[in-house]
Amino acid sequence: MKWKINYYHNQNNKSPVKEWLETVGHEPKAEIFKIFEMLSTYGVELGLPFVRPIENKLYEVRAKDKSGIYRVLYFAYKEKTFVMLHGFQKKTQTTPRKEIEVALKRMKEVQNG
């Protein structure tokens, strides 16, 4: 059975990840969706170089092209579902703490229903 890819929605029923993806160029967006498809097929078995654990059950989708490095932070939720929490373009070697905090806050919201 395939895993489902869902997107975090805020109180206004907007999805920050979907909105962010609309601003991303074609090449990195294609790479991100290719990795989403692989996640759907392989689930938690998918690893580097496509995805990597960050902390507290938080993972990142890793995509890059000549214009930059892109990340989508997500977690595995119940019933074989991944929830995409936060997307951003990475400008430093390490994932900025503020980006992780955004994803952790959203993960807590999803878990607390």
Side-chain angles (χ1 to χ4, degrees), residues 3-4 6 75-83 110-111 113:
W3 283 70
K4 287 190 295 237
N6 285 351
F75 77 109
Y77 195 45
K78 53 189 164 194
E79 296 163 15
K80 286 190 140 185
T81 302
F82 291 115
V83 180
V110 171
Q111 290 170 327

Side-chain angles (χ1 to χ4, degrees), residues 21-34 65 70:
L21 281 167
E22 289 172 14
T23 70
V24 172
H26 293 301
E27 203 175 315
K29 189 188 303 188
E31 181 76 12
I32 289 166
F33 282 120
K34 185 179 91 182
D65 73 353
Y70 301 84

Side-chain angles (χ1 to χ4, degrees), residues 45-98:
E45 300 301 313
L46 188 65
L48 285 167
F50 308 107
V51 300
R52 180 177 81 86
I54 298 288
E55 67 176 67
N56 285 4
K57 298 182 168 65
L58 193 64
Y59 287 77
E60 66 179 7
V61 167
R62 303 161 52 85
K64 73 179 189 180
D65 73 353
K66 58 189 169 300
S67 68
I69 299 169
Y70 301 84
R71 298 291 187 255
V72 178
L73 302 180
Y74 71 95
F75 77 109
Y77 195 45
K78 53 189 164 194
E79 296 163 15
K80 286 190 140 185
T81 302
F82 291 115
V83 180
M84 302 299 147
L85 299 165
H86 182 53
F88 61 97
Q89 186 170 359
K90 195 170 157 184
K91 308 237 188 266
T92 60
Q93 278 297 100
T94 57
T95 301
R97 189 74 218 159
K98 72 177 179 77

